């Protein structure tokens, strides 16, 4: 199982995702791609197996992943204060990987009908979703 975690800014959310994935899916290969080196470093320190940075890293690694995890904004061009380029958003959206997107209001995208919950609860739900999906495939 290949899991791609994408994050930007300081990498704090990506770090939390990597820690949770590695603790519950220790058999999975986790690749961390940051929109900047700080985010990539944070995710590598959290236990990601591989790391890369930047637009081309996102584009390349989306073709190799079974699952892509990140905040909702990674699928929208120019979100996350411009850190997600149109090419990144397109690669993520067009990837055949199953996308597990975590809703947070800081991405300039709001999804109605989604419960307001602490970030850690959304991350827990994301990992549980991967477990559920992988059992049914």
């Amino acid at each position: 199982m290949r899991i791609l975690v994408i994050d930007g800014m300081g990498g704090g959310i990506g770090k939390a995702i990597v820690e949770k994935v590695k603790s519950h899916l220790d058999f999975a290969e986790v690749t961390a791609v940051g929109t900047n080196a700080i985010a990539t470093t944070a995710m590598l320190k959290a236990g990601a197996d591989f790391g890369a940075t930047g637009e081309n890293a996102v584009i390349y690694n989306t073709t190799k992943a079974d699952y892509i995890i990140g905040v909702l904004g990674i699928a929208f061009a120019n979100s996350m204060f411009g850190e997600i380029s149109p090419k990144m958003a397109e690669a993520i959206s067009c990837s055949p990987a199953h996308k597990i997107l975590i809703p947070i209001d800081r991405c300039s995208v709001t999804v109605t009908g989604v419960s307001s919950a602490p970030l850690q609860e959304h991350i827990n739900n994301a990992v549980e979703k991967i477990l559920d999906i992988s059992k049914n495939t």
Side-chain angles (χ1 to χ4, degrees):
M1 178 184 298
R2 293 182 180 159
I3 299 175
L4 175 61
V5 180
I6 301 172
D7 197 15
M9 302 175 88
I13 295 173
K15 176 184 177 209
I17 293 169
V18 169
E19 289 172 346
K20 183 58 78 170
V21 167
K22 292 303 280 184
S23 71
H24 284 75
L25 303 164
D26 60 346
F27 56 88
E29 177 183 281
V30 177
T31 300
V33 175
T35 60
N36 60 65
I38 294 169
T40 304
T41 300
M43 292 186 284
L44 283 168
K45 286 181 180 177
D49 299 299
F50 307 101
T53 302
E55 182 179 78
N56 195 63
V58 170
I59 293 167
Y60 175 78
N61 285 289
T62 56
T63 67
K64 309 280 184 210
D66 298 311
Y67 297 91
I68 297 172
I69 306 178
V71 297
L72 184 63
I74 66 171
F76 292 91
N78 301 313
S79 68
M80 297 173 62
F81 299 101
E83 288 193 6
I84 302 297
S85 73
K87 289 181 181 180
M88 289 171 158
E90 179 181 18
I92 292 163
S93 298
C94 293
S95 171
H98 194 100
K99 289 90 167 159
I100 309 290
L101 302 175
I102 297 169
I104 63 167
D105 291 336
R106 292 177 287 182
C107 292
S108 303
V109 178
T110 301
V111 179
T112 61
V114 174
S115 66
S116 179
L119 177 61
Q120 195 59 48
E121 186 175 328
H122 285 300
I123 292 170
N124 292 343
N125 291 338
V127 172
E128 289 297 321
K129 187 56 116 176
I130 292 173
L131 288 168
D132 289 345
I133 293 167
S134 66
K135 288 177 187 174
N136 295 321
T137 55

